Amino acid sequence: MHTLVLLTKEYPVTAKETYLISELPFLAVKFDRLMIAPIDSYRSAEASNMWLDTSRVEVCTVNGKPLQQGLWQVLKKNMRCLFILLGEVINNRDRLTHIRRFRYVLTYLKICYVQAHQLHAAIGEKKHAKIILYSYWFHRSAVTACMYKRFIDPSAVVISRAHSSDLYHRDWNKIIQMDEVPFMPMEHYKVKNCQRIYAISMHGAEHLIRTFPRYAHKARAARLGVLSPDVQNVITDENLFRIVTCSGATPNKRIYRMPEILGHLQDLNVQWVHMGGATAENMQVLQKEVDKYKVASRCTIREWMSNEDILAYYANEQVNVIINLSKAEGIPVSIMEAFSYGIPAIATNTIGNPEIVDATCGHVIPIDFKAKEVADCLRLWMGNMNTQKLLRAGARAKQDEQYNAIVNYVTFADDIKTV
């Protein structure tokens, strides 16, 4: 009996990580038992009304009521976590931060240790031919999975996907250039103890090989994917040009640059629709830019939208281009989804973006782009329907050939069964 335990952040308890909807059906078919453990959720482990065939998928809690522990168990937990931390102080690239934040990291490890035992209780003592712990993110859930293998079931297999900030770690901040560098503990421990690490881009796999040559054999590239819809986005009004952005309005995503781009297109019938949530502070920054460039009549800024609503919009409303202005990005699922409807993209030349966006399906701009050069590109597209038709066909072809959920997730599921 093959059991796959998928460790997420909060899916399916909350509406985050909805891109997993495309992957789960293929995992459910390939494994005898599929469990999901939302590692960051402290709510009851009940599935939301998103895709989940509860006859095939179990949702378990790893942050429930603490297990009763005797004095020896408490001492053992503290000693094990202490030794792991000391090993990280010796081996981690970020060893100085581990020393400075020693108490924080020790608490972090204790949480992972407890979660590993909660996970063991949820899995139970059933007979398993193989247990595979699949961390969707290369962060704390991967540490929890590694502890499960190390201290509870040495025969278990631990794999992890690696996306963007969870993969590039301190290198991510060289790209984003944040004022305060965020800290992600236990990088070396994760790389050492995972049997395989599946980066979602070739750039990510090469980064792993280059950064950890001793563990290069563990690195794989495994693309994400989306389902190919039966309908395509249609241009119904050649005099209208509609731009979409689809992400949270965080500083890294730089959605606040869109009003400046629109400001260079005041003489044309251009509309911009933003889909994605934002904190009150980020929304104020965005609104200030809208007012500054006097483009309010051209903007529709929507709050968070469900994945179903976004795809329905692509199916029913004209969209000429999706734009990604991120400083740093893995490979955006939002672009894959737009491509599946034949919507081309403009994206920054950062990390994995150039792997999905090229001259056949869009245009790549510098990370430190000028608003006018983006506007000039859009202006060229607007004046040439033949160019738009070629790019739209190229977008759909790119998704179907490289980011097809059926192909990518069947291949991935088959591969992890062989680890």
Side-chain angles (χ1 to χ4, degrees), residues 304-321:
W304 179 87
M305 293 174 65
S306 70
N307 186 251
E308 292 86 348
D309 288 342
I310 292 170
L311 299 185
Y313 188 89
Y314 294 158
N316 298 303
E317 301 292 338
Q318 173 180 328
V319 178
N320 296 78
V321 64

Side-chain angles (χ1 to χ4, degrees), residues 329-345:
E329 192 76 69
I331 293 186
V333 174
S334 59
I335 292 181
M336 297 176 206
E337 290 176 338
F339 277 9
S340 73
Y341 286 87
I343 301 168

Side-chain angles (χ1 to χ4, degrees), residues 6 11 25 44 59 61 66 82 164 168 208 300 374 376 398 401:
L6 171 60
Y11 183 86
S44 173
V59 185
T61 298
L82 180 61
S164 49
Y168 295 94
L208 281 166
T300 302
V374 181
D376 288 344
K398 171 74 79 167
E401 293 166 9

